[in-house]
Amino acid sequence: MPAHDIQDLLQFIDASPSPWHAVQTIVRRLQTAGFSALPEQDSWQLQPGGRYYVIRDDSSIILFVVGQQPLQRSGFRIVGAHTDSPGLRIKPNPVQDSDGLLRLGVEVYGGPILATFADRDLSLAGRLCYRSKQGQIASRLLHVDRPLLRLPNLAIHMNRKVNEEGLKLDKQKELPLLFSTAAERQLPRHRFLALLEDSTGIDAERILSWELNVYDTQKGEIWGADREFIADSQLDNLASCHAGLTALLDRDSLAADSTLVCAFFDHEEIGSVSRIGADGSFLPDILERIAVARGVGRCDLHRAMAQSFLISADMAHAYQPNFPAAYDPEHQVGVNQGPVIKINANQRYSTESLAAAQFIDCCEQAGVPFQKYSHRSDIPCGSTIGPMTAARLGMRSIDVGNPLWAMHSVRESAGVLDHDYLIRALKKFFSGG
Ligand code: ZN
């Protein structure tokens, strides 16, 4: 049992309660592995074998190792994933004062299973912007590391049909999160700002703006009779970020001929169209800048792209035997049975047969099992960063990912073995397999 990698994954997620923290967690690991930061506003000098990373707006990051061979002969090998997860975000004027209780208004980010946020020990993490004592605009991360917020369920005595009809929540009226009791001596808005001040040490009057994610404070756990499963928040898709990062940091991959890249994007859960999203300019810009810094011309960059390969790593829907009707009977992918190749004829997934064959080859060389997934034909299929990234780059691409139960629940679960399998397959991919 690969206990180390699994414990490392759970620690990675627990240290990353928002996309901004996920990038911070990744950067800490890169700095101990000898990677250097490349600000986009600087000019770059890159060496073969050099290790670098670029951050755009604190929540998307591209890390790469420059290949030993010229780019036009060896191309890029890229693993893409996303740093964000669906959930709740705090509104700009959040405090609602009613009937002696203070609540925080929230906006739904992406497509979470809202009912899973009820009765959880929730808290806040994100980014805060402020005016420094010297008068400059500055930003810093904020992580309230204790239960702070709650969405108490309505008692069954007042919601008699909840077990037949499920918990339905009106997004405007029934999602605000309980935060505190109202105090006569303090205005409600000041109560919230005082909390931000306590958490950051920044005077309330200097706080200008924020992006705050609601997260579940329960730590990740290993569960099951043989400790064969994991449960945590944000497995979709921090598990894939962790697998890609771990594979890239493997010693074998650091001497590869190709230029190896991990591209981890924010904003996947809301469609990826942004300056930092997978459907934006971030990855094309950085690949071009790597080429320019290595003295590779435009024609040779296209030659490099033509022999490059992108693995879009995102979680897949594991078979849950209580709900057999939700799955195509011939495509029930099992937890702990290996990474899943996701196939969709309508290109909701970017996989085509040659890319699938190459990934199968990586799995076989790495000695890991693999599975193939196709969605039920009568249910609309979700998508990933794969198709849009492949389209922007003109690069061969595949969609793969590990089986996951309860995708977009605040607490998802998956298999211990699968995480190790995916890391091994990605190591093989990066080492030229
Ligand atoms: Zn995802």
Side-chain angles (χ1 to χ4, degrees):
M1 191 76 67
H4 171 262
D5 280 342
I6 277 295
Q7 288 296 351
D8 192 61
L9 167 65
L10 299 181
Q11 285 166 9
F12 178 86
I13 294 177
D14 292 338
S16 307
S18 78
W20 302 275
H21 288 85
V23 167
Q24 184 186 63
T25 305
I26 290 165
V27 166
R28 285 191 178 135
R29 291 177 176 220
L30 294 177
Q31 286 171 342
T32 56
F35 281 68
S36 309
L38 294 174
E40 283 195 85
Q41 62 272 26
D42 289 1
S43 66
W44 299 353
Q45 315 284 332
L46 308 180
Q47 305 304 325
R51 307 168 198 184
Y52 308 95
Y53 66 89
V54 190
I55 296 170
R56 194 175 271 190
D57 204 26
D58 295 340
S59 57
S60 288
I61 183 167
I62 294 173
L63 34 142
F64 59 93
V65 181
V66 179
Q68 300 292 341
Q69 291 295 321
L71 206 51
Q72 60 273 28
R73 272 197 250 139
S74 53
F76 299 99
R77 285 176 178 253
I78 305 173
V79 171
H82 61 92
T83 56
D84 61 328
S85 296
L88 306 174
R89 296 285 168 88
I90 300 298
K91 289 201 170 189
N93 298 320
V95 186
Q96 302 176 11
D97 179 8
S98 52
D99 307 310
L101 286 169
L102 300 185
R103 297 178 298 159
L104 298 186
V106 291
E107 191 174 1
V108 177
Y109 177 85
I113 306 176
L114 290 175
T116 62
F117 283 75
D119 305 325
R120 309 289 308 181
D121 300 335
L122 304 174
S123 195
L124 290 181
R127 181 172 69 161
L128 190 83
C129 294
Y130 62 99
R131 192 178 300 283
S132 71
K133 285 183 176 149
Q134 294 73 35
Q136 314 286 342
I137 301 295
S139 72
R140 56 160 291 169
L141 301 195
L142 174 154
H143 179 190
V144 181
D145 195 10
R146 66 176 176 90
L148 174 76
L149 306 168
R150 199 162 195 90
L151 179 63
N153 236 305
L154 193 56
I156 195 166
H157 314 79
M158 297 141 179
N159 192 11
R160 289 283 183 193
K161 292 189 178 157
V162 65
N163 291 329
E164 289 71 43
E165 297 180 354
L167 179 61
K168 295 177 185 153
L169 294 162
D170 181 291
K171 290 177 186 161
Q172 175 63 24
K173 292 185 238 162
E174 294 170 346
L175 274 186
L177 304 171
L178 293 191
F179 161 59
S180 186
T181 44
E184 278 179 15
R185 54 201 157 69
Q186 194 173 35
L187 288 171
R189 176 176 162 75
H190 291 173
R191 179 75 196 88
F192 180 64
L193 287 173
L195 173 94
L196 299 183
E197 181 177 297
D198 287 349
S199 307
T200 59
I202 297 165
D203 303 334
E205 60 269 22
R206 291 195 285 115
I207 295 172
L208 303 174
S209 56
W210 58 70
E211 291 134 315
L212 292 174
N213 183 48
V214 174
Y215 80 97
D216 185 358
T217 56
Q218 187 179 1
K219 304 285 188 213
E221 290 287 356
I222 299 174
W223 61 281
D226 291 319
R227 299 173 57 77
E228 65 268 57
F229 307 122
I230 51 173
D232 208 343
S233 64
Q234 306 176 96
L235 285 168
D236 173 14
N237 195 19
L238 293 186
S240 303
C241 292
H242 179 268
L245 176 66
T246 306
L248 185 72
L249 295 182
D250 185 65
R251 204 168 337 138
D252 285 351
S253 64
L254 293 178
D257 289 343
S258 303
T259 293
L260 309 181
V261 181
C262 282
F264 301 143
F265 301 100
D266 196 358
H267 293 167
E268 191 272 348
E269 298 291 355
I270 52 167
S272 295
V273 182
S274 76
R275 167 176 111 78
I276 60 173
D279 206 10
S281 69
F282 190 28
L283 184 56
D285 286 352
I286 300 310
L287 298 186
E288 186 178 351
R289 289 199 62 178
I290 293 171
V292 169
R294 295 297 302 142
V296 173
R298 197 158 182 81
C299 181
D300 282 344
L301 173 59
H302 285 290
R303 290 173 64 199
M305 293 295 206
Q307 54 196 307
S308 296
F309 196 116
L310 167 80
I311 293 181
S312 160
D314 205 345
M315 305 305 276
H317 299 296
Y319 181 67
Q320 212 282 38
N322 294 6
F323 307 108
Y327 304 84
D328 182 308
E330 308 309 320
H331 298 91
Q332 299 170 350
V333 296
V335 166
N336 285 327
Q337 293 176 41
V340 176
I341 299 167
K342 302 190 236 177
I343 300 160
N344 180 267
N346 294 293
Q347 282 286 299
R348 302 291 289 163
Y349 303 133
S350 63
T351 311
E352 31 72 15
S353 61
L354 270 170
Q358 287 185 29
F359 185 74
I360 289 169
D361 190 44
C362 281
C363 289
E364 288 182 345
Q365 285 189 53
V368 307
F370 61 89
Q371 311 178 70
K372 290 181 183 171
Y373 180 77
S374 175
H375 212 58
R376 274 190 76 94
S377 299
D378 50 5
I379 303 179
C381 183
S383 192
T384 72
I385 64 164
M388 63 187 68
T389 315
R392 276 193 162 267
L393 299 173
M395 188 178 289
R396 188 181 299 290
S397 171
I398 185 171
D399 272 281
V400 305
N402 274 339
L404 178 81
W405 284 311
M407 187 178 286
H408 293 192
S409 166
V410 76
R411 194 140 177 103
E412 300 166 323
S413 49
V416 166
L417 294 179
D418 292 326
H419 194 63
D420 177 61
Y421 289 149
L422 181 61
I423 291 170
R424 284 162 54 192
L426 295 181
K427 279 183 186 174
K428 188 55 72 180
F429 168 68
F430 276 144
S431 63

